[in-house]
Amino acid sequence: MTKLDAVERRMIETVESQPIIDRTLDWAAINSGTGNLAGLDVMARLLADAFADLPGDLTLIDPNRVEGIGADGKPLAIAHGQHLLLSVRPDAPRRVLLTGHMDTVYAADDPFQHCDWLDDETVRGPGTADMKGGLALMLAGLCAFESSRPDLGYDVFINSDEETGSGASAGIIEKLAKGKIAALTYEPALPGGIMARGRPGSGNFAVVISGRAAHAGRNPEDGRNAVVAASALAVQLATNSRDGLRINPARIVGGGPNNLVPALAILHFNIRPHSEEDAQEATAFIERSVAALARDHDVEVHLHGGFGRPPKPIANATERLFALVRQAGADLGETLEWTDTGGVCDGNNIAACGVPVIDTMGACGGNIHSAQEFLLTPSLAIRARLTALVLRRLDVGGLSQ
């Protein structure tokens, strides 16, 4: 370790590895898939108990209302778990935002439910890297930072729906981001410990297609096949996917008995534009495609959804924040680099508010969103110390250094 003053040295020496590992394993043992409301409730209350070790006001916030499209093609309300908010020194002249998520991609009935050690430093388990480990190290870093008697204020926001696009929390994040000098988000690092730089945006859409039922043998010509129309649109969308504008038709819901021309189908798809211009182009393309589909297939078409994650810009302030993070890493003996990635997260939404954000402050691991997800446990203490040191330097010098 180099270039650490006495306060910084004492601060990072308070970080111990084993308690962070133990907490990560305890939290990973709880299934908190986005749709598992009971598991999310348990997780939220455990997080509240743990983060109560920090000063400030802690509350559990009800989710914002979110609508989806049901199998019948009609809008329906989607239930979500509560979010956690901790506000520390709300009147401080300089404040930062730290965010994470308590939900995982593993449903309550997913077979991937338990952790096991692959070697002395590697544990495989659901949410260990994404992001139960990130939450545990964030807390440890904040506790270490508080030992330095700081003046910097901060909000900690942990949502329950990041994995499905943060529809129930994006508005809250936008309000919390206002006035912050910087933000840190605890998504796991990219392979090799690399941090994320630019990110594309993301939009989730559903196209409800209403055709006309008919007998498949007697009078199919009187029908209007909604599944065929949905398939034609899916092919068109996929064919027009390109670098800078990825389009992924993900699911078609519809159909019925083999002897019936299906009258209803729903196409779900995702779009990832790399710029606002790409997003505008995608919007115009979808509108043209939907209109052409209705005309050519003689069906009714209704488009639902939109862009929930704007493309993440990299402004000068973001460059300065990464320089501060990289220097802090170097002073801790770690080499940190960053690169653009195709994934999206709450960092997109924070950056869109004009706040510089580093959104891969979490643990190192890999194979996230799969039954092979793993965590490299030494990274927990390393990234906790990094958190404490970055916050200390934001406290002392802001982004001027």
Side-chain angles (χ1 to χ4, degrees):
M1 298 179 188
T2 60
K3 299 182 180 178
L4 299 179
D5 63 28
V7 173
E8 292 172 343
R9 286 184 179 277
R10 288 195 298 270
M11 179 182 66
I12 65 172
E13 286 171 358
T14 66
V15 175
E16 298 180 5
S17 178
Q18 193 59 48
I20 312 176
I21 295 173
D22 292 342
R23 180 162 272 161
T24 298
L25 294 176
D26 287 343
W27 289 348
I30 300 165
N31 180 284
S32 57
T34 312
N36 182 3
L37 300 186
L40 285 168
D41 182 67
V42 172
M43 192 68 214
R45 297 183 188 285
L46 286 176
L47 288 170
D49 288 343
F51 277 80
D53 288 345
L54 297 167
D57 296 325
L58 190 150
T59 56
L60 293 177
I61 302 174
D62 289 336
N64 291 340
R65 178 179 171 83
V66 175
E67 279 194 348
I69 298 297
D72 60 357
K74 297 179 181 179
L76 79 167
I78 300 176
H80 289 93
Q82 289 185 306
H83 316 302
L84 180 146
L85 174 63
L86 171 69
S87 183
V88 177
R89 292 181 286 277
D91 298 323
R94 285 203 302 262
R95 305 191 75 237
V96 300
L97 174 64
L98 299 94
T99 69
H101 61 86
M102 68 183 79
D103 64 323
T104 72
V105 299
Y106 307 103
D109 59 354
D110 193 290
F112 189 38
Q113 298 283 354
H114 304 288
C115 296
D116 61 283
W117 288 89
L118 303 182
D119 57 46
D120 290 344
E121 297 185 342
T122 310
V123 62
R124 178 175 55 202
T128 49
D130 187 19
M131 63 166 47
K132 304 295 177 68
L135 297 177
L137 73 88
M138 179 213 290
L139 176 57
L142 284 168
C143 289
F145 174 58
E146 287 296 330
S147 73
S148 69
R149 299 183 179 181
D151 295 319
L152 185 73
Y154 55 88
D155 289 328
V156 174
F157 183 68
I158 302 173
N159 57 2
S160 66
D161 68 327
E162 191 278 338
E163 293 291 8
T164 54
S166 303
S169 57
I172 302 170
I173 292 172
E174 182 179 359
K175 292 179 181 179
L176 291 173
K178 290 180 179 178
K180 300 298 193 296
I181 64 168
L184 305 174
T185 295
Y186 285 78
E187 291 294 333
L190 302 177
I194 296 173
M195 291 183 160
R197 187 177 181 273
R199 294 180 182 269
S202 179
N204 290 309
F205 298 84
V207 176
V208 179
I209 301 169
S210 299
R212 187 184 309 150
H215 194 286
R218 288 190 176 187
N219 61 328
E221 66 279 359
D222 292 335
R224 299 295 181 266
N225 195 310
V227 170
V228 170
S231 301
L233 180 58
V235 171
Q236 184 178 9
L237 293 172
T239 303
N240 282 271
S241 180
R242 59 169 175 78
D243 288 342
L245 188 60
R246 297 294 186 186
I247 307 176
N248 181 51
R251 181 165 52 104
I252 293 178
V253 179
N258 286 352
N259 62 352
L260 178 69
V261 175
L264 176 67
I266 307 161
L267 170 64
H268 297 267
F269 62 96
N270 175 263
I271 298 184
R272 302 214 170 192
H274 278 253
S275 67
E276 288 298 336
E277 292 75 16
D278 289 329
Q280 293 171 9
E281 177 186 334
T283 299
F285 170 67
I286 293 169
E287 291 174 352
R288 291 195 306 270
S289 300
V290 164
L293 187 78
R295 181 188 65 245
D296 297 342
H297 289 260
D298 190 19
V299 293
E300 291 186 7
V301 184
H302 297 281
L303 178 66
H304 301 264
F307 289 101
R309 304 262 194 225
K312 177 188 168 187
I314 301 298
N316 290 337
T318 312
E319 298 276 2
R320 292 199 303 275
L321 178 58
F322 179 69
L324 185 152
V325 172
R326 180 163 52 189
Q327 185 59 56
D331 293 342
L332 292 170
E334 299 293 321
T335 300
L336 296 176
E337 301 294 340
W338 65 347
T339 188
D340 293 345
T341 181
V344 297
C345 71
D346 288 330
N348 290 65
N349 301 74
I350 295 169
C353 297
V355 177
V357 56
I358 300 299
D359 52 28
T360 34
M361 291 289 293
C364 298
N367 294 341
I368 62 172
H369 294 195
S370 82
Q372 301 303 317
E373 178 177 352
F374 69 90
L375 166 71
L376 299 174
T377 57
S379 70
L380 295 173
I382 292 170
R383 289 298 179 95
R385 295 181 184 114
L386 178 66
T387 291
L389 188 54
V390 167
L391 292 173
R392 167 68 180 173
R393 292 182 178 179
L394 286 171
D395 185 23
V396 173
L399 282 180
S400 61
Q401 54 182 348

